Amino acid sequence: MTTQVHATNRPQQHAEVTLGIGGMTCASCSNRIERALNKHPGVLTAAVNLAAERATVTYDPQSVTAADLVQAVENAGYQASPIMPTVSIEQQTAERDTVKAEAYDVLRNRLILAGVLTLPVFLISMVPGLTFPGYAYVLLALTTPVQFVAGWPFLRNACKVIRHGSANMDVLVALGTLAAFGFSVYQTFWMSGHGHYYYETAAVIITLILLGKLLEARAKGDASSAIKKLMGLRAKTARVIRDGREMDLPVDQVQVGDRILVRPGEKVPVDGTIVSGFSALDESMLTGESLPVDKGEGDQIIGATLNKTGAFTMQATQVGTETALAQIIRLVQEAQGGKAPIQRLADQVSGVFVPIVIGLALLTFAGWFFLAAPDDWSAALTATVAVLVIACPCAMGLATPMAIMVGTGKGAEMGILIKGGEVLERARHVNTVVFDKTGTLTEGKPSLTDIIPTGTISTRDLLRLTASAERSSEHPLGEAIVRAARDQGLALAEAVDFGAIAGGGIQAVVDGRTMRVGTRTLMADGGIDLAAVEPEAVRWENAGKTAMFIAIDGQLAGIIAVADTLKSHAAEAVAELQRQGLQVVMITGDNRRTAEAIAKQAGVATVVAEVLPRDKAEHVKRFQREGRIVAMVGDGINDAPALAQADVGIALGTGTDVAMEASDLTLISGDVRGVADAMALSRATLTNIKQNLFWAFFYNIIGIPVAAAGWLNPMLAAAAMGFSSIFVVTNSLRLRRLRMLRGGR
């Protein structure tokens, strides 16, 4: 049984809790628990995941408590056990794995008992003409432990759910096997040994279902391995420097502000910043990037990444549950517990499926006994048991959650964080991908390339004044100018009356002189003539550079160029998205010439240029009004309105809180090839879900009539039922072998 709880404050004092659920066996179980929770006063939404064995509930804490929700689940006939938020993810997982391992051992032992006893029952029953004194009593003695010891969980759970006015897979198994066993006992004691026996039917059904459950449990363990792999990445200890002494401490004892020494070959224990030293870090375990990344003083680093070369000292900034790795694990858990809208059909069917099957079984018995083979108990019972067993809705309940578990897990291994099945389904239908330019398609770290003064001012003085004015700017272009001035050793002055003009530039007073730095529009607003530098600006812009004009005291003083280089894999990512049939658009605040030059390098045909930051969301709306399903790709902070407006918001970042919370889908690295990988993964996952649902429905649509017609032996029905669940699980596991664009994986 999985156990987890996590509560967060939400708008209007809403809270969320995740409960581990025990005792579920099929889609009918999860559907019943979901209905019970959703009907409870104070519950806003509840979703139960059969594969993950947990329920996620959003509720009003003023009206209901977590204990009330646990009681509601127990009143429905199942178990629920929350864990306090203070329990670490590792401890939660260890407890869950212990419970699952114990349950697996019990299941295996029941299967061994059933197999050892069923084999002679089957062989004795299948040999034509074989009879001997006490024949029926031997079969009874061998089958009874199978029915009531190995098969006890089915009987116990069936009684429990019937007592609560419901029905599930266990009810079907119990009815089928008890019918076969009970009729055989009747034949043994009241027909003087002259009747037909179905002991082998009851024994083989229970054995095959136990085998299917065992294989299913093993496969489900493989499906949830992504979280275990992520937790296995974490360092166990850290070499902390306190009071001038080095000491090795468990990573859980590291505190914010601690200085930590990381040597070559060691894992970075927590998130932090390098304060001294230089090294290359392998971040592939979190980002999917195969090449090490150079890091030096002032650079941020992520816990669980591997230090490859030099030693360095870092300062811890995020520890415990606040680290990027812990947040990633939490997001993956939440995603794996979510539902895709495509699952609604299966939920609706499963809610009434078992009662309908029981009704069909009764009709089958009546049809055979009164019409097809009058008074033939044997034929009527065989067909009825086959209908009950073949119809177990296990595959139906596993079809969607198993694919989502594997798909989101595969994404996490590649540094793609997907917020659940609903996002996967929306991403599947995306036909337009809109990229922000700066920091998304480009490196986002532009550098100064050219500066030309006009009039009598020198190049160095013009750069000093311009950089001084830009010191208060947070725009990457302004930072590039400041960085270039400092690299030349220029002493920058303090700027006063600084003001940023959105989409236009900046203005400030430096050394008593009024500075304006920015676009043509900014200059035009000040009545400044640009004719003297316009040809040079056009030439720079055609080369993909951003030209900025400089005015001092209302007069044109010069022109400066800054270039932001295209990311190394941007063109490859755009080409792959286009190969997938998606339209790619680039949106930027740059002037059209510069934007089109960058777009040409990236292979983007459609460019929306000279867009103010606040207007990006409006352009996304325009695409949506045209009937497009839009994915917006940005940094998760500056582009937050556009990310929120898009059908799917994709943030590029390093796993920060803001980036992950602002988007539907987060790429931990800045590699835009992850966008193409995410689109491919969403399509593959939805295709997998459809395959699973097709098989689950097809299996029942075909299997029930065949069984009712008497063409299916109940033992074969049990084997088919077990195979259907195993097929759904193993088909979902195929997603783990999906080839991704990055690294050819």
Side-chain angles (χ1 to χ4, degrees):
M1 179 174 63
T2 303
T3 51
Q4 182 188 3
V5 64
H6 126 130
T8 56
N9 290 328
R10 293 175 174 267
Q12 300 178 356
Q13 298 300 312
H14 296 168
E16 183 178 284
V17 62
T18 302
L19 303 173
I21 306 295
M24 293 191 295
T25 57
C26 68
S28 296
C29 298
S30 58
N31 192 274
R32 174 172 173 76
I33 296 170
E34 195 167 286
R35 287 201 309 270
L37 288 170
N38 278 313
K39 288 192 301 184
H40 199 287
V43 172
L44 303 176
T45 60
V48 179
N49 187 304
L50 174 62
E53 297 179 333
R54 63 189 184 189
T56 303
V57 187
T58 304
Y59 64 98
D60 179 2
Q62 304 298 321
S63 304
V64 63
T65 66
D68 296 331
L69 300 176
V70 170
Q71 188 61 51
V73 174
E74 292 178 348
N75 290 342
Y78 301 88
Q79 301 90 49
S81 55
I83 293 180
M84 298 306 294
T86 53
V87 178
S88 68
I89 293 175
E90 287 80 3
Q91 184 177 341
Q92 293 175 33
T93 304
E95 292 176 356
R96 180 192 63 199
D97 288 347
T98 299
V99 172
K100 285 194 170 185
E102 292 173 353
Y104 184 88
D105 290 342
V106 171
L107 183 58
R108 183 191 57 204
N109 293 338
R110 290 185 185 278
L111 175 60
I112 292 172
L113 171 65
V116 168
L117 296 177
T118 297
L119 182 59
V121 171
F122 180 78
L123 293 176
I124 293 171
S125 301
M126 291 298 105
V127 176
L130 176 61
T131 58
F132 52 82
Y135 169 83
Y137 296 100
V138 170
L139 294 179
L140 172 61
L142 292 171
T143 305
T144 299
V146 178
Q147 178 72 57
F148 295 103
V149 179
W152 173 244
F154 304 122
L155 304 178
R156 178 194 59 209
N157 293 338
C159 291
K160 186 183 298 183
V161 297
I162 289 173
R163 192 167 60 247
H164 287 86
S166 182
N168 64 358
M169 183 208 82
D170 292 320
V171 172
L172 298 181
V173 173
L175 287 176
T177 57
L178 285 174
F181 182 82
F183 183 72
S184 300
V185 171
Y186 170 78
Q187 296 286 66
T188 300
F189 289 101
W190 284 276
M191 296 298 291
S192 304
H194 299 296
H196 188 84
Y197 306 107
Y198 290 93
Y199 289 117
E200 81 285 353
T201 298
V204 170
I205 287 173
I206 289 174
T207 302
L208 288 176
I209 292 176
L210 287 172
L211 175 61
K213 287 291 182 185
L214 190 75
L215 295 175
E216 179 187 313
R218 178 176 294 179
K220 285 166 70 175
D222 292 340
S224 61
S225 63
I227 289 179
K228 294 180 184 178
K229 287 181 180 178
L230 287 171
M231 287 191 301
L233 297 176
R234 200 177 75 142
K236 301 297 186 293
T237 61
R239 175 154 292 191
V240 179
I241 303 172
R242 289 181 183 170
D243 300 325
R245 294 188 303 113
E246 294 182 11
M247 60 187 77
D248 289 328
L249 297 177
V251 73
D252 291 333
Q253 295 182 19
V254 175
Q255 301 173 4
V256 173
D258 275 343
R259 296 214 166 191
I260 303 167
L261 176 63
V262 184
R263 296 168 294 189
E266 294 181 340
K267 287 183 178 180
V268 177
V270 294
D271 297 359
T273 304
I274 294 179
V275 294
S276 65
F278 179 89
S279 185
L281 272 71
D282 180 357
E283 298 181 340
S284 61
M285 64 285 293
L286 289 179
T287 66
E289 298 301 317
S290 56
L291 295 176
V293 181
D294 291 336
K295 299 281 187 177
E297 185 175 334
D299 287 336
Q300 294 183 344
I301 51 178
I302 308 172
T305 54
L306 181 63
N307 183 24
K308 299 288 287 185
T309 55
F312 59 84
T313 301
M314 62 173 286
Q315 185 171 30
T317 57
Q318 303 287 342
V319 300
T321 59
E322 300 301 317
T323 64
L325 179 61
Q327 294 178 64
I328 289 167
I329 293 172
R330 176 178 60 80
L331 287 173
V332 173
Q333 286 179 325
E334 291 176 354
Q336 291 188 340
K339 283 190 176 185
I342 196 173
Q343 191 174 343
R344 291 172 186 156
L345 176 60
D347 288 344
Q348 291 170 354
V349 172
S350 64
V352 296
F353 188 78
V354 174
I356 289 175
V357 168
I358 293 174
L360 289 174
L362 293 174
L363 288 175
T364 299
F365 183 87
W368 275 93
F369 189 77
F370 295 109
L371 299 174
D375 299 324
D376 188 342
W377 285 89
S378 177
L381 183 65
T382 299
T384 301
V385 172
V387 168
L388 288 170
V389 174
I390 195 70
C392 292
C394 301
M396 196 183 306
L398 292 170
T400 300
M402 284 305 304
I404 290 175
M405 282 182 67
V406 179
T408 53
K410 172 69 175 179
E413 292 175 10
M414 295 299 297
I416 303 171
L417 301 183
I418 304 165
K419 290 188 176 178
E422 185 176 351
V423 174
L424 276 172
E425 188 161 343
R426 289 203 308 270
R428 167 67 178 84
H429 300 291
V430 165
N431 53 30
T432 302
V433 179
V434 179
F435 283 96
D436 176 56
K437 179 183 78 71
T438 304
T440 303
L441 285 177
T442 63
E443 292 291 349
K445 293 183 179 179
S447 58
L448 186 145
T449 59
D450 306 271
I451 182 168
I452 298 176
T454 60
T456 59
I457 190 170
S458 69
T459 300
R460 287 177 62 84
D461 283 345
L462 182 62
L463 177 58
R464 184 185 70 82
L465 289 171
T466 305
S468 298
E470 291 280 6
R471 285 179 67 182
S472 299
S473 173
E474 296 180 352
H475 196 284
L477 300 181
E479 291 175 354
I481 295 171
V482 174
R483 190 165 55 248
R486 286 175 172 164
D487 289 344
Q488 294 187 26
L490 300 179
L492 302 185
E494 289 294 328
V496 296
D497 296 333
F498 175 86
I501 297 91
I506 62 102
Q507 63 182 14
V509 176
V510 179
D511 292 344
R513 309 173 77 176
T514 302
M515 302 286 302
R516 279 196 168 204
V517 184
T519 64
R520 290 174 176 82
T521 302
L522 182 66
M523 297 297 119
D525 291 344
I528 298 168
D529 184 8
L530 303 179
V533 295
E534 186 64 35
E536 193 65 30
V538 171
R539 186 175 67 81
W540 287 349
E541 290 166 353
N542 287 337
K545 300 176 182 179
T546 298
M548 292 182 287
F549 302 90
I550 308 166
I552 300 178
D553 293 331
Q555 299 295 319
L556 179 66
I559 183 173
I560 193 167
V562 174
D564 187 7
T565 57
L566 194 70
K567 287 184 176 179
S568 58
H569 299 295
E572 183 183 0
V574 170
E576 174 61 20
L577 288 168
Q578 292 170 339
R579 188 193 66 76
Q580 294 179 16
L582 304 175
Q583 181 177 358
V584 180
V585 178
M586 188 183 82
I587 189 167
T588 178
D590 274 349
N591 65 78
R592 178 157 294 280
R593 289 193 188 94
T594 301
E596 289 181 345
I598 293 294
K600 185 177 180 180
Q601 296 175 33
V604 178
T606 306
V607 179
V608 182
E610 301 175 3
V611 178
L612 297 177
R614 65 175 181 270
D615 293 335
K616 289 181 181 178
E618 289 301 319
H619 284 278
V620 171
K621 286 182 184 178
R622 177 171 62 84
F623 291 136
Q624 292 170 327
R625 286 194 296 268
E626 294 172 358
R628 305 190 198 183
I629 309 299
V630 180
M632 174 70 196
V633 187
D635 63 11
I637 302 173
N638 297 332
D639 302 308
L643 287 169
Q645 176 61 42
D647 298 283
V648 177
I650 303 177
L652 304 181
T654 55
T656 61
D657 280 336
V658 176
M660 288 194 284
E661 294 299 333
S663 62
D664 299 307
L665 192 153
T666 302
L667 307 178
I668 301 175
S669 75
D671 191 337
V672 289
R673 290 179 298 174
V675 178
D677 285 339
M679 294 296 106
L681 180 61
S682 68
R683 292 168 187 262
T685 303
L686 262 293
T687 298
N688 192 280
I689 289 173
K690 290 178 180 179
Q691 291 170 345
N692 289 346
L693 287 173
F694 172 80
W695 169 258
F697 284 112
F698 174 81
Y699 157 81
N700 282 297
I701 289 171
I702 298 299
I704 292 175
V706 169
W711 299 335
L712 187 62
N713 184 286
M715 291 181 287
L716 292 178
M721 189 274 286
F723 173 76
S724 67
S725 296
I726 295 169
F727 171 85
V728 165
V729 175
T730 53
N731 186 53
S732 300
L733 289 173
R734 290 193 307 113
L735 289 169
R736 295 169 61 183
R737 300 196 297 272
L738 180 67
R739 292 184 63 82
M740 308 292 267
L741 182 60
R742 287 176 295 169
R745 286 177 281 185

